[in-house]
Amino acid sequence: MYSRLLFPYQMRIRLCKRMIYLKTHDQYFSLNRILLLAIGLWPYQQSNFTRLQFIFLSTILTSSFIFQCTPLISQKCTPDFVAKVLSSASFFALFVVKYNMFCINMEAVKDLLEQLQLICNELKDNNEFAIINEYGCSAKRVTAALTICGICSVFAIIAAQFSSKIFDFILPINVSQIHRIPITVEYFVDQEKYSYWILLHINVAFCVGATAMVGIGTTLIAYLQYTCGMFKIASYRIEHAMNNNMLRNNNLKNKFLIFEGLIFAVDMHRHAMKLSKHLLSSIEPMMFCLIIFGVASVSLNLYRIFQITSLDDTSLNVKELIMPSLCAGITILYMFLSNYIGQHVTDHNHDIFVTVYNIRWYVAPLHIQRMVLFLLQRKSKEFILNVGLFVVSIEFFATLVKTSVSYFTVIYSTQ
C-alpha cells in the first residue's frame, strides 16, 4: 500500500527537495496574483497606488449597483418591473460584496498564506513535496479554466450589446435603431444621448466584478486545495510510519521512528484543520451575504428568463436572454464550486481515517496501538466546514438550488 501511495507522485515530477514559495513568485499562484493585482487586492504589494486603485474600482462597482436600483425610485413599480430591476441588481450585489469584503479581510488572508508558507517549508521528504505540487497544479488548472470562463462571459455580454450595431454596419438599413442598454438603469440623464458612456460604466463594472469573482474565488480554492494536500501528506506520513518493514523489525529505533512519524502526521492533520477553519471564520460574513444574494439572483433571473420567453418578439428575446442566463449560470456555478471545495476538504479528512483503518496497526506493539486508537477516536468528531449554521457541502449546494427554484416558483405563481 505504501508503494501504491508513492508511485503516482514519483512518476509525475522529478523528486528533488526544494522550497515551495506561495506568496509572490510561486508558479501555482502566478495567475491568481495577476488577477488580484489588476483590481488592487493582492495582499503582498499594497501601496498608495493600489489603495487609490481599490477606491476607484470600488466606486465604479458600487455606483453601478446603485444606478441599477434607482429605477425603483424614479419609475412606477409593478411586480414584473421590480423583478426585472432586481434580477441584475442582485447579481451585481455579489460583485460589490465580494470585492469590498475581501479587501476588509485582506490582512487575515495574508496571515493565512504566511502560515501555509511556514507549513510547506517544514515538509519532510521528496514525496511530500510531490504531493503538495500535485495539488498546486490542480489549483492552477482550476484557476485557468475559470479565468477562461470569465473572459468568455465578458465577451458574450459586450458582443450582445453591440450585435445590432455590427449587423447594421454589415447590412445597412434606412431605419435608425435605438441602442439598447442590456439592464434597467436610471442615471437621471438622457440615456439615448449618453448611451455609450452608460454602457462603458456598466461594462467596466462587469469586468471588475468578474475579475474579482474569479481572482478571489480561485485564490480561496487554491488555498483549500493546499490544505487538501496537507491532509494527503498526513495520510502519507501514517502509512510511511506504519509500513511493513517498520512493523516486522520491532527494535527500539523503529519504535522511535513510528512514534515520530505518527506525531508528525497528527501535527499536519491538526494544522490542516486549523487553517481550513480559520479561513472560513475569516470570510464567514462575506460568504453569508453571498448566500443570500446568490439565492436571490438565481430566483429572480430564472423568473426574468421566463418573462422574456413569454414575449412574442423572438429576435428581441434572444438578445435579452443573454444577461439573465449568464447571471443565473454564473451564480449556480459559483455556488457549486464553493460547496464542492468544502466537500473536497471534508472527504480528504475522512481519507485519513480510512488510511488508519487500513494499516496493520493491530500487529504493532501495544503502546503504538493505543496511539493509533487515539487517532481513530478523533473520527467520532466529524470535521466539517460551515458558514454559520450551514455546512459547506454538495448537499448544501443542492439545498441552495432547491431553495432558489422554490422562490422562483412562488414569484412566478403570483404574476
Side-chain angles (χ1 to χ4, degrees):
M1 182 176 294
Y2 172 51
S3 60
R4 288 201 302 270
L5 179 70
L6 297 183
F7 182 73
Y9 302 106
Q10 290 171 330
M11 292 298 293
R12 288 174 187 238
I13 72 168
R14 184 172 60 91
L15 296 179
C16 56
K17 192 169 183 178
R18 59 182 180 86
M19 299 293 286
I20 294 179
Y21 297 99
L22 301 174
K23 295 187 289 186
T24 55
H25 303 292
D26 179 67
Q27 58 178 324
Y28 304 127
F29 274 85
S30 58
L31 186 52
N32 305 86
R33 176 174 171 270
I34 292 170
L35 292 170
L36 294 181
L37 277 174
I39 53 176
L41 292 182
W42 182 244
Y44 291 96
Q45 294 179 355
Q46 289 296 302
S47 61
N48 290 332
F49 173 76
T50 54
R51 293 186 185 95
L52 289 174
Q53 184 184 11
F54 166 77
I55 293 171
F56 176 68
L57 297 179
S58 179
T59 302
I60 289 177
L61 270 178
T62 306
S63 59
S64 175
F65 171 72
I66 291 172
F67 286 130
Q68 289 180 57
C69 295
T70 49
L72 298 176
I73 302 172
S74 62
Q75 300 184 35
K76 182 180 178 180
C77 292
T78 62
D80 285 352
F81 181 75
V82 171
K84 181 179 180 180
V85 170
L86 294 181
S87 62
S88 60
S90 61
F91 182 72
F92 272 77
L94 296 173
F95 291 161
V96 176
V97 170
K98 193 82 171 179
Y99 188 76
N100 289 281
M101 284 197 172
F102 186 83
C103 181
I104 294 171
N105 294 299
M106 196 182 299
E107 285 300 318
V109 173
K110 181 179 178 180
D111 180 61
L112 287 168
L113 289 174
E114 293 284 356
Q115 293 182 47
L116 190 59
Q117 175 72 72
L118 292 174
I119 293 169
C120 287
N121 290 343
E122 295 174 359
L123 298 182
K124 300 298 179 183
D125 59 39
N126 291 326
N127 297 302
E128 293 181 4
F129 282 106
I131 292 172
I132 209 71
N133 272 287
E134 175 71 16
Y135 283 85
C137 288
S138 176
K140 188 174 182 179
R141 287 193 295 267
V142 171
T143 302
L146 291 180
T147 302
I148 293 171
C149 289
I151 293 172
C152 292
S153 299
V154 171
F155 179 78
I157 291 292
I158 295 175
Q161 294 167 21
F162 293 96
S163 59
S164 58
K165 293 291 182 181
I166 294 171
F167 286 124
D168 187 41
F169 177 78
I170 297 172
L171 300 172
I173 56 176
N174 295 327
V175 181
S176 62
Q177 297 184 15
I178 299 175
H179 195 87
R180 299 183 63 86
I181 297 173
I183 55 180
T184 304
V185 293
E186 179 56 75
Y187 281 75
F188 303 103
V189 295
D190 185 350
Q191 295 196 171
E192 177 63 22
K193 182 178 179 181
Y194 296 99
S195 61
Y196 285 105
W197 290 107
I198 293 172
L199 282 173
L200 178 63
H201 182 222
I202 293 171
N203 289 328
V204 170
F206 188 83
C207 290
V208 172
T211 305
M213 291 285 277
V214 174
I216 295 169
T218 53
T219 299
L220 299 179
I221 288 174
Y223 180 89
L224 290 174
Q225 277 286 90
Y226 273 102
T227 61
C228 288
M230 292 165 64
F231 283 117
K232 192 72 173 180
I233 289 171
S235 297
Y236 159 72
R237 286 180 176 179
I238 291 171
E239 288 209 348
H240 181 45
M242 300 288 290
N243 68 74
N244 293 332
N245 291 331
M246 290 288 192
L247 295 176
R248 278 197 297 266
N249 302 322
N250 192 12
N251 52 46
L252 184 60
K253 180 182 177 181
N254 283 348
K255 288 180 182 179
F256 175 78
L257 290 175
I258 291 173
F259 265 117
E260 185 182 45
L262 292 177
I263 289 170
F264 285 149
V266 170
D267 188 55
M268 181 62 73
H269 183 211
R270 182 175 59 84
H271 280 306
M273 292 191 296
K274 179 183 175 182
L275 292 182
S276 301
K277 286 286 189 180
H278 191 184
L279 175 64
L280 264 292
S281 64
S282 300
I283 63 173
E284 187 171 350
M286 177 175 72
M287 295 302 295
F288 189 75
C289 293
L290 290 177
I291 289 170
I292 295 173
F293 286 114
V295 170
S297 175
V298 174
S299 302
L300 292 168
N301 279 289
L302 286 177
Y303 177 71
R304 180 67 184 142
I305 290 170
F306 272 77
Q307 271 187 317
I308 295 170
T309 53
S310 63
L311 298 175
D312 295 329
D313 192 344
T314 306
S315 61
L316 182 63
N317 289 356
V318 175
K319 295 177 184 178
E320 294 203 354
L321 272 175
I322 294 176
M323 188 68 181
S325 299
L326 274 177
C327 290
I330 291 171
T331 307
I332 291 173
L333 176 63
Y334 211 82
M335 286 178 178
F336 172 76
L337 291 175
S338 302
N339 285 279
Y340 176 80
I341 191 63
Q343 184 71 59
H344 199 48
V345 172
T346 302
D347 292 344
H348 273 72
N349 176 73
H350 176 73
D351 289 343
I352 291 178
F353 299 99
V354 172
T355 301
V356 176
Y357 289 135
N358 290 334
I359 60 176
R360 299 179 62 195
W361 56 271
Y362 46 86
V363 300
L366 185 60
H367 51 283
I368 294 177
Q369 290 186 31
R370 289 172 181 169
M371 192 172 184
V372 174
L373 289 174
F374 170 76
L375 290 174
L376 293 175
Q377 286 176 356
R378 180 64 183 80
K379 181 65 174 70
S380 62
K381 186 179 179 181
E382 187 178 5
F383 175 74
I384 55 174
L385 298 180
N386 58 288
V387 178
L389 300 176
F390 307 120
V391 177
V392 183
S393 62
I394 294 297
E395 183 179 355
F396 182 55
F397 165 71
T399 302
L400 288 176
V401 174
K402 188 188 300 182
T403 303
S404 302
V405 173
S406 299
Y407 285 140
F408 154 70
T409 305
V410 172
I411 298 170
Y412 189 72
S413 64
T414 58
Q415 70 171 358

